[in-house]
Amino acid sequence: MKILVCITHVPDTTSKISFTDGDQKFDQTGVQFIIGPYDDYALARAVELKEQSGGSITVLNVGGPETEPTIRKALAIGADDAVRVNAEPTDSLFVAQQIAEHAKDAGYDLILMGRESIDFNGGMVHGMVGEILDLPSISPVMTLNVEGDTVKMAREIEGGKETVEVKMPLIAGCQEPIAEWKIPNMRGIMSARTKPLSVVEPVTEEVATSLTRYELPPAKGAVKMVDADNVSELVDLLKNEAKVL
Amino acid sequence: MAILVFVESAEGKIKKTSIEAVVYAARVGGDVTAISLGTEVNDTELAALGKYGASKVLNVADDRLNQGVIQAYANVLNQAMNKVGADLLVLANSSLGAPVSARVAIKQDASLVSNVTELPDISNGFVVKRSIYTGKAFANVELTKAKKILAIKKNAAEIRESGGDVPVEEFSPELTDADFGVAITGVDQATGDVLLPEAEIVVSGGRGLKGPENWGMIEDLAKELAAATGCSKPVSDIGWRPHHEHVGQTGVKVAPTLYLAVGISGAIQHLAGVNSSKYIVVINKDEDAPFFKAADYGIAGDAFEVIPKLTEALKAAR
Ligand SMILES: Cc1cc2nc3c(=O)[nH]c(=O)nc-3n(C[C@H](O)[C@H](O)[C@H](O)COP(=O)(O)OP(=O)(O)OC[C@H]3O[C@@H](n4cnc5c(N)ncnc54)[C@H](O)[C@@H]3O)c2cc1C
Ligand SMILES: Nc1ncnc2c1ncn2[C@@H]1O[C@H](COP(=O)(O)O)[C@@H](O)[C@H]1O
């Protein structure tokens, strides 16, 4: 089986978010970058599928040269080769077109992505690539099993899940509990250094949106503590101060 | 401007998030057509969308659409946009609306923005505010294409009622077997309960509750408040609670008016799922738990003592 996993290079989930250049740019000072947690689930499931039935895993990232350590980490976790589309991932349409261009004649059986990137939180790229390539796109996917040429999945819906069956090839936006995150081992890290990472230029510059300005939420006021022996005071505050009851 | 609004339903009723989408569209200004897919909502319920600002409702009464088949839905919405000459499609950023809108955006060559939190600014172009970095920040984004799609977040528009019933029209788009290539073979969904993503009040429990057998008091409190129940990630990872209750960075992002966190430490990844809440109450036995910094009200105390007392106090204050 031939699998493509699309990964993002995003700030660690504990990062403090701030902006520079008159709120036009994300401030990278002191920020650690990681593989998007949902993309990490997709990659982990791809590695499991490969262990079960063989095949190959390619990882793809649309990003500048600074994303290469993140791509190498994906190679260390178990991908065989990698492609970096050398461009700022400016919007979902731009990214989707780069991924679609790479995948269109490559013969992937499965294209796995994360349910969403944790910087942009679009949740859009998989559906867009699906439409461009005329392939089914399923998201958010909680379990994914291959039986012959059919893939059985559970898709999360509000308050539960639905089970879905579809023939390959297809695109899935993954989330937990599809697989457990994998930590690269020493051998993986060593071999990742020499695995092929090719760099290609974007096929189009087309975008559908443009940033005007970033903004931070207003700061939260101080917490009002209520004595544990006086819970009725909390009820009173919720009723008469917050007016939420 | 002609606006199409995709409305979703659950158990025969239009979902609140979809009503918000209709209100949102009406407030953007223009001629608003709502569209419902499947046979599970009756015409009376659909006609009543006029109250929220729709001038007409299209109903695609095809029972194959009683299940949310993403490609078929995208195809229907595409044809409906063409039929009403829509410049703008508005829908709730739901588990169905989001993946469907991505496909429609390509079909329509439209600009698409998801997680929209406010009405657009159309004084100079078409700019919307969207939530990014999992609620830790916002981006103001201009939609540069002629056609536009907005997937809106809960609370993006406050529900108001004005007009009365409007006509419901049958719409029969062309669908082929290929649109139904993805087979939905089963649905397993909590019914009757308050659904977490839509809830106005959420009571969540964390690892501090020690075990699944202690969720009774959380459920009692939730019942008293007509709230949905949630949990932290480790709690669903160990299987104390179902996965769809897991709140946070990698789980459900909630936006209630009141979020009550019991025995949850307040890790930044948990906070990422609750930072759109209007008020946060934290109950934790450790007075230095990080969650208190993100809270409006707090009680430093043992949940096993505080929660039953709180439920009693709420009952008494009814
Ligand atoms: C990439 C990534 C993504 C993540 N995504 C999520 C996510 O989406 N959601 C999420 O929740 N976590 C997420 N996590 C995990 C997160 O970092 C925390 O580990 C988790 O939120 C902790 O859960 P908890 O607060 O229930 O448990 P703990 O951290 O163990 O906290 C238990 C709390 O209960 C209190 N307590 C104990 N006994 C009592 C008592 N009797 N009465 C009252 N209080 C008591 C303790 O003081 C403590 O504060 C993620 C982590 C990573 C790395
Ligand atoms: N710059 C990128 N490079 C590669 N894949 C991406 C990129 N951006 C998004 N994706 C993929 O698309 C998924 C959804 O992203 P988004 O629509 O931005 O939420 C992510 O989880 C990734 O799998």
Side-chain angles (χ1 to χ4, degrees):
Chain A
M1 196 156 46
K2 209 173 155 187
I3 307 175
L4 176 69
V5 181
C6 301
I7 62 166
T8 53
H9 161 87
V10 290
D12 177 310
T13 52
T14 60
S15 308
K16 192 172 173 305
I17 305 299
S18 58
F19 303 105
T20 59
D21 292 19
D23 290 329
Q24 296 295 310
K25 265 184 105 160
F26 174 70
D27 185 358
Q28 302 200 356
T29 318
V31 170
Q32 281 231 14
F33 283 82
I34 56 168
I35 302 176
Y38 295 111
D39 313 337
D40 223 355
Y41 284 122
L43 178 60
R45 187 65 191 136
V47 171
E48 289 174 359
L49 291 171
K50 188 185 155 181
E51 278 164 8
Q52 281 165 22
S53 45
S56 68
I57 303 171
T58 301
V59 288
L60 182 150
N61 168 260
V62 181
E66 70 282 1
T67 73
E68 289 198 2
T70 303
I71 299 175
R72 290 280 173 210
K73 185 168 174 218
L75 291 169
I77 288 171
D80 300 289
D81 57 8
V83 178
R84 179 171 68 81
V85 180
N86 185 31
E88 276 294 305
T90 30
D91 79 353
S92 326
L93 177 68
F94 177 80
V95 170
Q97 300 206 83
Q98 314 309 328
I99 296 174
E101 174 67 20
H102 166 80
K104 72 175 185 209
D105 300 315
Y108 292 111
D109 302 296
L110 274 178
I111 302 179
L112 302 185
M113 305 195 191
R115 91 177 260 169
E116 65 181 36
S117 55
I118 66 159
D119 49 0
F120 192 65
N121 306 116
M124 294 296 157
V125 169
H126 28 72
M128 289 180 170
V129 175
E131 187 61 35
I132 297 170
L133 297 178
D134 198 16
L135 293 177
S137 56
I138 321 289
S139 177
V141 172
M142 302 166 68
T143 62
L144 183 152
N145 292 294
V146 180
E147 292 175 19
D149 61 351
T150 300
V151 179
K152 295 188 174 177
M153 286 164 279
R155 187 176 90 88
E156 184 157 77
I157 54 177
E158 284 77 13
K161 60 186 172 200
E162 60 189 24
T163 44
V164 171
E165 269 184 49
V166 57
K167 290 218 182 318
M168 291 193 278
L170 65 99
I171 299 170
C174 305
Q175 70 167 39
E176 61 176 38
I178 198 162
E180 301 243 347
W181 287 321
K182 298 210 173 348
I183 299 160
N185 58 25
M186 212 47 209
R187 219 188 57 185
I189 295 168
M190 297 303 287
S191 69
R193 292 188 193 154
T194 53
K195 285 180 179 171
L197 190 172
S198 59
V199 178
V200 300
E201 291 305 314
V203 278
T204 162
E205 299 297 330
E206 188 192 9
V207 293
T209 57
S210 92
L211 176 85
T212 329
R213 190 173 58 87
Y214 290 120
E215 200 176 313
L216 289 173
K220 192 111 192 163
V223 57
K224 224 179 233 184
M225 295 303 285
V226 172
D227 197 280
D229 296 321
N230 194 10
V231 291
S232 53
E233 189 191 332
L234 177 63
V235 176
D236 185 57
L237 286 167
L238 292 174
K239 235 183 164 142
N240 300 314
E241 191 178 82
K243 301 191 166 54
V244 291
L245 297 184
Chain B
M1 182 160 28
I3 309 177
L4 184 73
V5 182
F6 164 49
V7 296
E8 293 178 67
S9 63
E11 296 170 58
K13 293 266 172 276
I14 304 289
K15 286 189 178 178
K16 181 163 175 252
T17 45
S18 291
I19 292 176
E20 286 180 347
V22 175
V23 172
Y24 184 100
R27 293 194 56 199
V28 171
D31 189 28
V32 177
T33 304
I35 182 167
S36 164
L37 281 64
T39 56
E40 285 177 352
V41 191
N42 66 33
D43 280 5
T44 320
E45 175 85 4
L46 291 176
L49 284 170
K51 278 201 304 236
Y52 305 107
S55 65
K56 185 170 85 184
V57 181
L58 299 180
N59 184 26
V60 187
D62 180 333
D63 57 18
R64 291 175 300 175
L65 298 169
N66 289 348
Q67 291 178 316
V69 184
I70 294 167
Q71 276 160 291
Y73 269 55
N75 196 352
V76 171
L77 293 187
N78 180 47
Q79 292 180 47
M81 277 186 84
N82 293 341
K83 178 185 156 74
V84 304
D87 313 291
L88 174 65
L89 170 66
V90 179
L91 38 71
N93 197 45
S94 64
S95 68
L96 184 59
V100 168
S101 67
R103 300 193 74 112
V104 181
I106 298 297
K107 289 181 192 285
Q108 289 279 328
D109 189 23
S111 291
L112 162 63
V113 177
S114 59
N115 276 317
V116 173
T117 59
E118 284 178 15
L119 287 169
D121 175 358
I122 43 180
S123 60
N124 180 14
F126 191 107
V127 177
V128 291
K129 186 162 158 178
R130 75 186 307 276
S131 155
I132 55 170
Y133 293 103
T134 324
K136 290 189 219 165
F138 299 95
N140 295 284
V141 178
E142 181 173 4
L143 291 85
T144 49
K145 298 213 174 225
K147 299 221 171 145
K148 299 171 175 67
I149 304 179
L150 300 177
I152 65 167
K153 215 173 145 160
K154 181 170 177 281
N155 299 337
E158 198 180 321
I159 295 182
R160 292 186 201 162
E161 296 190 16
S162 46
D165 287 1
V166 290
V168 179
E169 208 178 278
E170 279 305 319
F171 174 48
S172 311
E174 275 175 46
L175 288 169
T176 65
D177 286 347
D179 292 315
F180 295 92
V182 175
I184 297 176
T185 51
V187 178
D188 174 9
Q189 192 172 21
T191 51
D193 296 343
V194 190
L195 291 182
L196 187 56
E198 306 212 341
E200 284 309 318
I201 303 185
V202 175
V203 180
S204 264
R207 205 146 52 174
L209 288 169
K210 311 280 190 282
E213 66 282 5
N214 297 325
W215 244 263
M217 64 180 189
I218 296 292
E219 276 162 359
D220 289 345
L221 175 59
K223 204 164 158 217
E224 182 58 33
L225 289 166
T229 51
C231 66
S232 66
K233 174 169 152 68
V235 163
S236 71
D237 284 350
I238 337 167
W240 293 357
R241 298 298 292 175
H243 180 267
H244 65 255
E245 287 198 357
H246 148 202
V247 171
Q249 175 96 52
T250 47
V252 180
K253 281 84 184 167
V254 296
T257 47
L258 177 62
Y259 186 78
L260 249 138
V262 186
I264 303 179
S265 57
I268 193 160
Q269 296 93 355
H270 187 81
L271 298 183
V274 307
N275 50 22
S276 302
S277 311
K278 203 153 172 211
Y279 287 94
I280 295 178
V281 173
V282 168
I283 296 163
N284 195 303
K285 79 171 182 198
D286 173 9
E287 61 181 359
D288 294 324
F291 217 148
F292 285 120
K293 289 204 181 67
D296 299 282
Y297 302 106
I299 295 182
D302 185 345
F304 295 92
E305 286 166 25
V306 174
I307 296 305
K309 277 198 219 160
L310 180 58
T311 309
E312 282 314 309
L314 283 163
K315 276 199 182 119
R318 247 203 308 225

